[in-house]
Coordinates of all heavy atoms in Angstrom, one line a residue:
M1 N 3.5 23.1 2.7 CA 3.8 21.8 2.3 C 2.9 21.4 1.2 O 1.7 21.5 1.2 CB 3.6 20.9 3.5 CG 3.9 19.4 3.3 SD 3.9 18.4 4.8 CE 2.4 17.5 4.5
N2 N 3.5 20.8 0.1 CA 2.7 20.3 -1.0 C 2.3 18.9 -0.8 O 3.1 18.0 -0.6 CB 3.5 20.5 -2.3 CG 3.7 21.9 -2.7 OD1 2.9 22.8 -2.3 ND2 4.7 22.2 -3.4
A3 N 1.0 18.6 -0.8 CA 0.5 17.2 -0.7 C 0.7 16.5 -2.0 O 0.5 17.1 -3.1 CB -0.9 17.2 -0.2
L4 N 1.0 15.3 -2.0 CA 1.1 14.5 -3.2 C -0.3 14.3 -3.8 O -1.2 14.0 -3.1 CB 1.7 13.1 -2.9 CG 2.0 12.2 -4.0 CD1 3.0 12.7 -5.0 CD2 2.4 10.8 -3.5
T5 N -0.4 14.5 -5.1 CA -1.6 14.2 -5.8 C -1.6 12.9 -6.5 O -0.5 12.3 -6.7 CB -1.9 15.3 -6.9 OG1 -0.9 15.2 -7.9 CG2 -1.9 16.7 -6.3
L6 N -2.8 12.3 -6.7 CA -2.9 11.1 -7.5 C -2.2 11.2 -8.8 O -1.5 10.3 -9.3 CB -4.3 10.6 -7.6 CG -4.6 9.3 -8.3 CD1 -3.8 8.1 -7.7 CD2 -6.0 9.0 -8.4
E7 N -2.4 12.3 -9.5 CA -1.8 12.6 -10.8 C -0.3 12.5 -10.7 O 0.4 11.9 -11.5 CB -2.2 13.9 -11.4 CG -3.7 13.9 -11.7 CD -4.7 14.1 -10.5 OE1 -4.2 14.5 -9.4 OE2 -5.8 13.8 -10.7
A8 N 0.3 13.1 -9.7 CA 1.8 13.1 -9.5 C 2.3 11.7 -9.1 O 3.3 11.3 -9.7 CB 2.2 14.1 -8.4
F9 N 1.5 11.0 -8.3 CA 1.9 9.6 -7.9 C 1.9 8.8 -9.1 O 2.8 8.0 -9.4 CB 0.9 9.1 -6.8 CG 1.1 7.7 -6.5 CD1 2.1 7.3 -5.6 CD2 0.3 6.7 -7.0 CE1 2.3 5.9 -5.3 CE2 0.5 5.3 -6.7 CZ 1.5 5.0 -5.9
T10 N 0.8 8.9 -10.0 CA 0.7 8.1 -11.2 C 1.9 8.4 -12.1 O 2.5 7.4 -12.6 CB -0.6 8.4 -11.9 OG1 -1.7 8.0 -11.0 CG2 -0.8 7.7 -13.2
A11 N 2.2 9.7 -12.4 CA 3.2 10.0 -13.3 C 4.6 9.5 -12.8 O 5.3 8.9 -13.6 CB 3.3 11.5 -13.5
Q12 N 4.9 9.6 -11.6 CA 6.1 9.2 -11.0 C 6.2 7.6 -11.1 O 7.3 7.1 -11.5 CB 6.3 9.6 -9.6 CG 7.6 9.1 -8.9 CD 7.7 9.5 -7.5 OE1 7.1 10.5 -7.1 NE2 8.6 8.9 -6.7
S13 N 5.1 7.0 -10.8 CA 5.1 5.5 -10.8 C 5.3 5.0 -12.2 O 6.1 4.0 -12.4 CB 3.8 5.0 -10.2 OG 3.6 5.4 -8.9
L14 N 4.6 5.6 -13.2 CA 4.8 5.1 -14.6 C 6.2 5.4 -15.0 O 6.8 4.5 -15.7 CB 3.8 5.8 -15.5 CG 2.3 5.5 -15.2 CD1 1.4 6.4 -16.1 CD2 2.1 4.0 -15.5
D15 N 6.8 6.5 -14.6 CA 8.2 6.8 -15.0 C 9.2 5.7 -14.4 O 10.2 5.5 -15.0 CB 8.6 8.2 -14.5 CG 8.1 9.3 -15.3 OD1 7.6 9.1 -16.4 OD2 8.2 10.5 -14.8
E16 N 8.8 5.2 -13.2 CA 9.6 4.2 -12.6 C 9.4 2.8 -13.1 O 10.0 1.8 -12.6 CB 9.4 4.2 -11.1 CG 9.9 5.5 -10.4 CD 9.6 5.6 -8.9 OE1 9.0 4.7 -8.4 OE2 9.9 6.6 -8.3
G17 N 8.5 2.6 -14.1 CA 8.3 1.3 -14.6 C 7.1 0.6 -14.2 O 6.8 -0.6 -14.6
F18 N 6.3 1.1 -13.2 CA 5.0 0.5 -12.8 C 4.0 0.6 -14.0 O 4.0 1.6 -14.7 CB 4.5 1.1 -11.5 CG 5.5 0.8 -10.3 CD1 6.5 1.6 -10.0 CD2 5.3 -0.4 -9.6 CE1 7.4 1.3 -9.0 CE2 6.1 -0.7 -8.6 CZ 7.2 0.2 -8.2
D19 N 3.1 -0.4 -14.1 CA 2.3 -0.3 -15.3 C 0.8 -0.3 -14.9 O -0.1 -0.3 -15.8 CB 2.6 -1.5 -16.2 CG 2.5 -2.9 -15.5 OD1 2.2 -2.9 -14.3 OD2 2.6 -3.9 -16.2
E20 N 0.4 -0.3 -13.6 CA -1.0 -0.3 -13.2 C -1.1 0.6 -12.0 O -0.3 0.4 -11.0 CB -1.4 -1.7 -13.0 CG -2.9 -1.8 -12.6 CD -3.3 -3.2 -12.3 OE1 -2.4 -4.1 -12.2 OE2 -4.5 -3.5 -12.1
I21 N -2.0 1.5 -11.9 CA -2.2 2.3 -10.8 C -3.7 2.1 -10.3 O -4.6 2.2 -11.1 CB -2.1 3.8 -11.1 CG1 -0.7 4.1 -11.8 CG2 -2.2 4.6 -9.8 CD1 0.5 3.7 -11.1
I22 N -3.9 1.8 -9.0 CA -5.2 1.6 -8.5 C -5.4 2.3 -7.2 O -4.4 2.6 -6.5 CB -5.6 0.1 -8.3 CG1 -4.6 -0.6 -7.3 CG2 -5.6 -0.6 -9.7 CD1 -5.0 -2.0 -7.0
V23 N -6.6 2.6 -6.8 CA -6.9 3.2 -5.6 C -7.7 2.2 -4.8 O -8.7 1.7 -5.2 CB -7.8 4.5 -5.7 CG1 -8.2 5.0 -4.4 CG2 -7.1 5.6 -6.5
R24 N -7.1 1.8 -3.6 CA -7.7 0.7 -2.8 C -8.4 1.4 -1.6 O -7.7 2.2 -0.9 CB -6.7 -0.3 -2.3 CG -6.0 -1.1 -3.4 CD -7.0 -2.0 -4.2 NE -7.8 -2.8 -3.4 CZ -7.7 -4.1 -3.2 NH1 -6.8 -4.8 -3.9 NH2 -8.6 -4.8 -2.5
E25 N -9.6 1.0 -1.3 CA -10.3 1.4 -0.1 C -10.4 0.2 0.8 O -11.0 -0.8 0.4 CB -11.7 2.0 -0.4 CG -11.7 3.2 -1.2 CD -11.3 4.5 -0.5 OE1 -11.3 4.4 0.8 OE2 -11.0 5.5 -1.1
W26 N -9.8 0.2 2.0 CA -9.8 -0.9 2.9 C -10.8 -0.6 4.1 O -10.8 0.5 4.6 CB -8.4 -1.2 3.4 CG -7.5 -1.6 2.3 CD1 -6.6 -0.8 1.7 CD2 -7.4 -2.8 1.7 NE1 -5.9 -1.5 0.8 CE2 -6.4 -2.8 0.7 CE3 -8.1 -4.0 1.8 CZ2 -6.1 -3.8 -0.1 CZ3 -7.8 -5.1 1.0 CH2 -6.8 -5.0 0.1
D27 N -11.5 -1.6 4.5 CA -12.5 -1.5 5.6 C -11.8 -1.4 6.9 O -10.7 -1.9 7.1 CB -13.4 -2.7 5.6 CG -14.4 -2.8 4.4 OD1 -14.7 -1.7 3.9 OD2 -14.8 -3.9 4.1
A28 N -12.5 -0.8 7.9 CA -12.0 -0.7 9.3 C -11.8 -2.1 9.9 O -12.6 -3.0 9.6 CB -13.0 0.1 10.1
H29 N -10.7 -2.2 10.6 CA -10.3 -3.4 11.3 C -10.2 -4.7 10.4 O -10.2 -5.8 10.9 CB -11.4 -3.7 12.4 CG -11.5 -2.6 13.4 ND1 -10.5 -2.2 14.3 CD2 -12.6 -1.7 13.6 CE1 -11.0 -1.1 15.0 NE2 -12.2 -0.8 14.5
L30 N -10.0 -4.5 9.1 CA -9.8 -5.6 8.2 C -8.5 -6.2 8.5 O -7.4 -5.5 8.6 CB -9.9 -5.2 6.8 CG -9.6 -6.2 5.7 CD1 -10.7 -7.3 5.7 CD2 -9.5 -5.6 4.3
K31 N -8.4 -7.6 8.6 CA -7.2 -8.3 8.8 C -7.0 -9.2 7.6 O -7.9 -10.1 7.3 CB -7.3 -9.1 10.1 CG -6.0 -9.9 10.4 CD -6.1 -10.7 11.7 CE -4.8 -11.5 11.9 NZ -4.9 -12.4 13.1
L32 N -5.9 -9.1 7.0 CA -5.5 -10.0 5.9 C -4.3 -10.8 6.3 O -3.2 -10.3 6.6 CB -5.1 -9.2 4.6 CG -6.2 -8.3 4.0 CD1 -5.7 -7.5 2.9 CD2 -7.4 -9.1 3.6
D33 N -4.6 -12.1 6.5 CA -3.5 -13.0 6.9 C -2.4 -13.1 5.9 O -2.5 -12.6 4.8 CB -4.1 -14.4 7.1 CG -5.0 -14.5 8.4 OD1 -4.8 -13.7 9.3 OD2 -6.0 -15.3 8.3
T34 N -1.3 -13.7 6.3 CA -0.1 -13.8 5.4 C -0.4 -14.3 4.0 O -1.1 -15.3 3.8 CB 1.0 -14.7 6.0 OG1 1.3 -14.2 7.3 CG2 2.2 -14.7 5.2
H35 N 0.0 -13.5 3.0 CA -0.2 -13.8 1.6 C 0.9 -13.1 0.8 O 1.8 -12.4 1.3 CB -1.6 -13.2 1.2 CG -1.7 -11.7 1.3 ND1 -1.9 -11.1 2.5 CD2 -1.7 -10.8 0.4 CE1 -2.0 -9.8 2.3 NE2 -1.8 -9.6 1.0
T36 N 0.9 -13.3 -0.5 CA 1.8 -12.7 -1.4 C 1.1 -12.1 -2.6 O -0.1 -12.4 -2.8 CB 2.9 -13.8 -2.0 OG1 2.1 -14.8 -2.7 CG2 3.7 -14.4 -0.8
H37 N 1.8 -11.3 -3.4 CA 1.3 -10.8 -4.7 C 2.2 -11.1 -5.8 O 3.4 -11.1 -5.6 CB 1.1 -9.3 -4.6 CG 0.3 -8.8 -3.5 ND1 -1.1 -8.9 -3.5 CD2 0.6 -8.1 -2.3 CE1 -1.6 -8.4 -2.4 NE2 -0.6 -7.9 -1.7
P38 N 1.7 -11.4 -7.0 CA 2.5 -11.7 -8.1 C 3.0 -10.4 -8.9 O 3.2 -10.4 -10.1 CB 1.6 -12.5 -9.0 CG 0.3 -12.0 -8.8 CD 0.3 -11.6 -7.3
F39 N 3.2 -9.3 -8.1 CA 3.6 -8.1 -8.7 C 4.4 -7.3 -7.7 O 4.2 -7.5 -6.5 CB 2.4 -7.2 -9.3 CG 1.2 -7.2 -8.3 CD1 1.2 -6.4 -7.2 CD2 0.1 -8.0 -8.5 CE1 0.1 -6.3 -6.4 CE2 -0.9 -8.0 -7.7 CZ -1.0 -7.2 -6.6
D40 N 5.2 -6.4 -8.1 CA 5.9 -5.4 -7.2 C 4.9 -4.3 -6.9 O 4.1 -3.9 -7.8 CB 7.2 -4.8 -7.9 CG 8.2 -5.8 -8.2 OD1 8.4 -6.8 -7.4 OD2 9.0 -5.7 -9.2
V41 N 5.1 -3.7 -5.7 CA 4.2 -2.7 -5.3 C 5.0 -1.4 -4.8 O 6.0 -1.6 -4.1 CB 3.3 -3.2 -4.1 CG1 2.5 -2.0 -3.4 CG2 2.4 -4.3 -4.5
S42 N 4.5 -0.3 -5.2 CA 4.9 1.0 -4.6 C 3.6 1.6 -4.2 O 2.6 1.7 -5.0 CB 5.6 1.9 -5.7 OG 5.9 3.1 -5.1
A43 N 3.5 2.1 -2.9 CA 2.2 2.6 -2.5 C 2.3 3.8 -1.6 O 3.4 4.1 -1.0 CB 1.5 1.5 -1.7
H44 N 1.2 4.6 -1.6 CA 1.1 5.8 -0.8 C -0.2 5.8 0.0 O -1.2 5.6 -0.6 CB 1.2 7.0 -1.7 CG 1.0 8.3 -1.0 ND1 2.1 8.9 -0.3 CD2 0.0 9.2 -0.9 CE1 1.6 10.0 0.2 NE2 0.4 10.2 -0.1
V45 N 0.0 5.9 1.3 CA -1.2 5.9 2.2 C -1.8 7.3 2.2 O -1.2 8.3 2.5 CB -0.9 5.4 3.6 CG1 -2.1 5.4 4.5 CG2 -0.2 4.1 3.6
V46 N -3.1 7.4 1.8 CA -3.8 8.6 1.6 C -4.6 9.0 2.9 O -4.7 10.1 3.3 CB -4.7 8.6 0.4 CG1 -5.4 10.0 0.2 CG2 -3.9 8.3 -0.8
R47 N -5.2 7.9 3.5 CA -6.1 8.1 4.6 C -6.1 6.9 5.5 O -5.9 5.8 5.0 CB -7.6 8.3 4.1 CG -8.7 8.4 5.1 CD -10.1 8.3 4.6 NE -10.3 7.0 4.0 CZ -10.7 5.9 4.6 NH1 -10.8 5.9 5.9 NH2 -10.9 4.7 3.9
G48 N -6.2 7.1 6.8 CA -6.2 6.0 7.8 C -4.8 5.5 8.1 O -3.8 6.2 8.0
E49 N -4.8 4.3 8.6 CA -3.6 3.7 9.0 C -3.7 2.2 9.0 O -4.8 1.6 9.0 CB -3.2 4.1 10.5 CG -4.2 3.6 11.5 CD -3.9 4.0 12.9 OE1 -2.7 4.2 13.2 OE2 -4.8 4.0 13.7
Y50 N -2.5 1.5 8.9 CA -2.5 0.1 9.0 C -1.1 -0.4 9.3 O -0.2 0.3 9.3 CB -3.1 -0.6 7.8 CG -2.3 -0.6 6.5 CD1 -1.6 -1.7 6.1 CD2 -2.3 0.5 5.7 CE1 -0.9 -1.7 4.9 CE2 -1.6 0.5 4.5 CZ -0.9 -0.6 4.1 OH -0.2 -0.6 3.0
W51 N -1.1 -1.7 9.7 CA 0.2 -2.3 10.1 C 0.5 -3.4 9.1 O -0.3 -4.3 8.8 CB 0.0 -2.9 11.5 CG -0.1 -1.9 12.5 CD1 0.9 -1.4 13.3 CD2 -1.3 -1.1 12.9 NE1 0.4 -0.4 14.2 CE2 -0.9 -0.2 13.9 CE3 -2.6 -1.1 12.4 CZ2 -1.9 0.6 14.5 CZ3 -3.5 -0.3 13.0 CH2 -3.2 0.6 14.0
L52 N 1.7 -3.3 8.5 CA 2.2 -4.2 7.5 C 3.2 -5.1 8.2 O 4.2 -4.6 8.7 CB 2.8 -3.5 6.3 CG 3.4 -4.3 5.2 CD1 2.4 -5.0 4.5 CD2 4.2 -3.3 4.3
T53 N 3.0 -6.4 8.2 CA 3.9 -7.3 8.9 C 4.7 -8.1 7.8 O 4.1 -8.8 6.9 CB 3.1 -8.3 9.8 OG1 2.3 -7.6 10.7 CG2 4.0 -9.3 10.5
L54 N 6.0 -8.1 7.9 CA 6.9 -8.8 7.1 C 7.8 -9.6 8.0 O 8.7 -9.1 8.6 CB 7.8 -7.8 6.3 CG 7.0 -6.9 5.3 CD1 7.9 -5.7 5.0 CD2 6.7 -7.6 4.1
G55 N 7.5 -10.9 8.1 CA 8.3 -11.8 9.0 C 8.0 -11.3 10.4 O 6.9 -11.2 10.9
E56 N 9.1 -10.9 11.1 CA 9.0 -10.5 12.5 C 8.9 -9.0 12.6 O 8.7 -8.4 13.7 CB 10.2 -11.0 13.3 CG 10.4 -12.5 13.4 CD 9.2 -13.1 14.1 OE1 8.8 -12.6 15.2 OE2 8.7 -14.1 13.6
Q57 N 9.0 -8.3 11.5 CA 8.9 -6.8 11.5 C 7.5 -6.3 11.2 O 6.8 -6.8 10.3 CB 9.8 -6.2 10.4 CG 11.3 -6.5 10.7 CD 12.2 -5.7 9.6 OE1 11.9 -5.8 8.5 NE2 13.2 -5.1 10.1
I58 N 7.1 -5.3 12.0 CA 5.8 -4.7 11.8 C 6.0 -3.2 11.6 O 6.7 -2.5 12.3 CB 4.9 -4.9 13.1 CG1 4.6 -6.4 13.3 CG2 3.5 -4.2 12.9 CD1 3.9 -6.7 14.6
Q59 N 5.5 -2.8 10.4 CA 5.6 -1.4 10.1 C 4.2 -0.7 10.2 O 3.2 -1.2 9.6 CB 6.1 -1.3 8.6 CG 6.4 0.1 8.2 CD 7.0 0.1 6.8 OE1 7.1 -0.9 6.1 NE2 7.4 1.3 6.3
H60 N 4.1 0.4 11.0 CA 2.9 1.1 11.2 C 2.9 2.2 10.2 O 3.7 3.1 10.2 CB 2.8 1.7 12.6 CG 1.6 2.4 12.9 ND1 1.5 3.4 13.9 CD2 0.4 2.4 12.4 CE1 0.3 3.9 13.9 NE2 -0.4 3.3 13.0
L61 N 1.9 2.1 9.2 CA 1.8 3.1 8.1 C 0.6 4.0 8.3 O -0.5 3.5 8.7 CB 1.7 2.3 6.8 CG 2.9 1.4 6.5 CD1 2.5 0.4 5.5 CD2 4.0 2.3 6.0
K62 N 0.8 5.3 8.1 CA -0.2 6.3 8.3 C -0.3 7.2 7.1 O 0.6 7.1 6.2 CB 0.1 7.2 9.5 CG 0.2 6.4 10.8 CD 0.7 7.3 11.9 CE 2.2 7.6 11.7 NZ 3.1 7.7 12.6
A63 N -1.4 8.0 7.0 CA -1.6 8.9 5.9 C -0.3 9.7 5.7 O 0.3 10.2 6.6 CB -2.7 9.8 6.2
G64 N 0.2 9.7 4.4 CA 1.4 10.4 4.1 C 2.6 9.5 3.9 O 3.6 9.9 3.3
D65 N 2.5 8.3 4.4 CA 3.6 7.3 4.3 C 3.6 6.6 3.0 O 2.6 6.4 2.4 CB 3.5 6.3 5.4 CG 3.8 6.8 6.8 OD1 4.4 7.9 6.9 OD2 3.4 6.1 7.8
N66 N 4.8 6.2 2.6 CA 5.0 5.4 1.3 C 5.7 4.1 1.7 O 6.4 4.1 2.7 CB 5.9 6.2 0.4 CG 5.3 7.5 -0.1 OD1 4.2 7.5 -0.6 ND2 6.1 8.6 0.2
F67 N 5.5 3.1 0.9 CA 6.2 1.9 1.1 C 6.3 1.1 -0.2 O 5.6 1.4 -1.2 CB 5.6 1.0 2.2 CG 4.3 0.4 1.8 CD1 4.3 -0.9 1.2 CD2 3.1 1.0 2.0 CE1 3.0 -1.5 0.9 CE2 1.9 0.5 1.6 CZ 1.9 -0.8 1.1
R68 N 7.3 0.2 -0.3 CA 7.5 -0.7 -1.4 C 7.5 -2.1 -1.0 O 8.0 -2.4 0.1 CB 8.7 -0.3 -2.2 CG 8.6 1.0 -2.9 CD 9.7 1.3 -3.8 NE 9.5 2.6 -4.4 CZ 9.6 2.8 -5.7 NH1 10.0 1.9 -6.5 NH2 9.4 4.0 -6.2
L69 N 7.0 -3.0 -1.8 CA 7.0 -4.4 -1.5 C 7.3 -5.2 -2.8 O 6.6 -4.9 -3.8 CB 5.7 -4.8 -0.9 CG 5.5 -6.2 -0.4 CD1 6.5 -6.4 0.8 CD2 4.1 -6.4 0.0
A70 N 8.3 -6.0 -2.8 CA 8.6 -6.8 -4.0 C 7.6 -8.0 -4.1 O 7.0 -8.4 -3.2 CB 10.0 -7.4 -3.8
R71 N 7.5 -8.4 -5.4 CA 6.5 -9.5 -5.6 C 6.9 -10.8 -4.9 O 8.1 -11.0 -4.5 CB 6.5 -9.8 -7.1 CG 7.7 -10.5 -7.7 CD 7.7 -10.7 -9.2 NE 7.7 -9.3 -9.8 CZ 6.9 -9.0 -10.8 NH1 6.0 -9.8 -11.3 NH2 7.0 -7.8 -11.3
D72 N 6.0 -11.6 -4.5 CA 6.1 -12.9 -3.9 C 6.7 -12.8 -2.4 O 7.2 -13.8 -1.9 CB 7.0 -13.8 -4.7 CG 6.3 -14.1 -6.1 OD1 5.1 -14.2 -6.1 OD2 7.0 -14.2 -7.1
V73 N 6.7 -11.6 -1.8 CA 7.1 -11.5 -0.4 C 6.0 -11.7 0.5 O 5.0 -11.0 0.4 CB 7.8 -10.1 -0.2 CG1 8.1 -9.9 1.3 CG2 9.0 -9.9 -1.0
P74 N 6.0 -12.7 1.4 CA 4.9 -13.0 2.3 C 4.8 -11.8 3.3 O 5.7 -11.3 3.8 CB 5.4 -14.2 3.1 CG 6.4 -14.8 2.2 CD 7.1 -13.7 1.5
H75 N 3.5 -11.4 3.5 CA 3.2 -10.3 4.4 C 1.8 -10.4 4.8 O 1.0 -11.1 4.2 CB 3.4 -8.9 3.7 CG 2.5 -8.7 2.5 ND1 2.7 -9.3 1.3 CD2 1.4 -7.9 2.4 CE1 1.8 -8.9 0.5 NE2 1.0 -8.1 1.1
A76 N 1.4 -9.7 5.9 CA 0.1 -9.6 6.4 C -0.3 -8.1 6.6 O 0.6 -7.3 6.7 CB 0.0 -10.4 7.8
E77 N -1.6 -7.8 6.7 CA -2.0 -6.5 6.8 C -3.1 -6.4 7.9 O -4.0 -7.3 7.9 CB -2.6 -6.0 5.5 CG -1.6 -6.0 4.4 CD -2.2 -5.9 3.0 OE1 -3.1 -5.0 2.8 OE2 -1.8 -6.6 2.1
L78 N -3.1 -5.4 8.7 CA -4.2 -5.1 9.7 C -4.5 -3.6 9.6 O -3.7 -2.8 9.8 CB -3.7 -5.5 11.1 CG -4.7 -5.1 12.2 CD1 -6.1 -5.9 12.0 CD2 -4.1 -5.4 13.5
Y79 N -5.8 -3.3 9.3 CA -6.2 -1.9 9.1 C -6.8 -1.4 10.3 O -7.4 -2.1 11.1 CB -7.2 -1.9 7.9 CG -6.4 -2.1 6.6 CD1 -6.2 -3.4 6.2 CD2 -5.8 -1.1 5.9 CE1 -5.5 -3.7 5.0 CE2 -5.1 -1.4 4.8 CZ -4.9 -2.7 4.3 OH -4.2 -3.0 3.2
G80 N -6.7 -0.1 10.5 CA -7.1 0.6 11.8 C -8.6 0.9 11.8 O -9.4 0.4 10.9
P81 N -9.0 1.6 12.8 CA -10.5 1.8 13.1 C -11.2 2.6 12.0 O -12.4 2.6 11.9 CB -10.5 2.5 14.4 CG -9.2 3.1 14.6 CD -8.2 2.2 13.9
E82 N -10.4 3.4 11.2 CA -11.0 4.1 10.1 C -10.8 3.5 8.7 O -11.2 4.0 7.7 CB -10.4 5.5 10.0 CG -10.6 6.4 11.2 CD -9.9 7.7 11.2 OE1 -9.5 8.1 10.1 OE2 -9.7 8.3 12.2
G83 N -10.2 2.3 8.7 CA -9.8 1.7 7.4 C -8.7 2.5 6.8 O -8.0 3.2 7.5
A84 N -8.6 2.4 5.5 CA -7.5 3.2 4.8 C -7.8 3.3 3.4 O -8.5 2.5 2.8 CB -6.2 2.5 5.0
T85 N -7.2 4.4 2.8 CA -7.2 4.6 1.3 C -5.7 4.6 1.0 O -4.9 5.3 1.5 CB -7.8 5.9 0.9 OG1 -9.2 6.0 1.4 CG2 -7.8 6.1 -0.6
V86 N -5.4 3.7 0.0 CA -4.0 3.6 -0.4 C -4.0 3.6 -2.0 O -4.7 2.9 -2.7 CB -3.5 2.2 0.1 CG1 -2.0 2.1 -0.3 CG2 -3.6 2.1 1.6
W87 N -3.1 4.5 -2.5 CA -2.8 4.5 -3.9 C -1.7 3.4 -4.1 O -0.7 3.4 -3.5 CB -2.3 5.8 -4.4 CG -3.2 7.0 -4.2 CD1 -4.6 6.9 -4.1 CD2 -2.9 8.3 -4.1 NE1 -5.1 8.1 -4.0 CE2 -4.1 9.0 -4.0 CE3 -1.7 9.0 -4.1 CZ2 -4.2 10.4 -3.8 CZ3 -1.7 10.4 -4.0 CH2 -3.0 11.1 -3.9
V88 N -2.0 2.5 -5.1 CA -1.1 1.4 -5.3 C -0.6 1.4 -6.8 O -1.4 1.4 -7.7 CB -1.8 0.1 -5.0 CG1 -0.8 -1.1 -5.2 CG2 -2.3 0.1 -3.5
A89 N 0.7 1.4 -7.0 CA 1.3 1.2 -8.3 C 1.8 -0.3 -8.3 O 2.5 -0.7 -7.4 CB 2.4 2.1 -8.5
R90 N 1.4 -1.0 -9.4 CA 1.9 -2.4 -9.6 C 2.8 -2.5 -10.8 O 2.5 -1.9 -11.8 CB 0.6 -3.3 -9.8 CG -0.3 -3.4 -8.6 CD -1.4 -4.2 -9.0 NE -2.3 -4.5 -7.8 CZ -3.5 -5.1 -7.9 NH1 -3.9 -5.6 -9.1 NH2 -4.2 -5.3 -6.8
A91 N 3.8 -3.3 -10.7 CA 4.6 -3.7 -11.8 C 4.3 -5.2 -12.0 O 4.8 -6.0 -11.3 CB 6.1 -3.5 -11.5
N92 N 3.5 -5.4 -13.0 CA 3.1 -6.8 -13.3 C 4.1 -7.5 -14.1 O 4.9 -7.0 -14.8 CB 1.7 -6.8 -14.1 CG 0.6 -6.2 -13.2 OD1 0.2 -6.9 -12.3 ND2 0.2 -5.0 -13.5

């Protein structure tokens, strides 16, 4: 199995029209209450786990998972006991 590299994630994201790539390190047990972002997101979880809440839906994301989130969509985040590392592509 070939693991996704940051270089491959970056190249794919730029090809898809995202214009900013960042690596986010989130602390263990961090809770972010409902908020929005002024950009579209495509992300890949590299380490750890967290729960992404969109309305009544809760998505449990773990290392190896990908997700997308449109700009201005209200959501909340809760990070697990190890925190998480997430590669994030933004379309500003």
Side-chain angles (χ1 to χ4, degrees):
M1 182 171 108
N2 292 335
L4 182 64
T5 64
L6 178 57
E7 293 77 17
F9 175 80
T10 298
Q12 179 179 341
S13 298
L14 293 174
D15 284 349
E16 292 177 2
F18 292 90
D19 57 356
E20 180 182 12
I21 311 299
I22 60 173
V23 176
R24 296 297 310 252
E25 296 285 345
W26 297 102
D27 291 334
H29 303 291
L30 177 66
K31 180 181 179 184
L32 299 176
D33 291 328
T34 302
H35 62 283
T36 62
H37 300 291
F39 44 79
D40 294 330
V41 170
S42 175
H44 177 75
V45 182
V46 179
R47 177 191 62 82
E49 64 181 336
Y50 73 101
W51 291 262
L52 178 67
T53 301
L54 299 157
E56 298 297 317
Q57 293 185 317
I58 300 173
Q59 187 175 5
H60 182 203
L61 299 159
K62 301 171 289 217
D65 289 342
N66 299 301
F67 71 93
R68 290 188 180 229
L69 188 64
R71 73 184 67 226
D72 299 324
V73 172
H75 64 284
E77 302 165 41
L78 174 62
Y79 292 86
E82 298 177 18
T85 302
V86 183
W87 297 338
V88 179
R90 294 177 175 176
N92 293 289

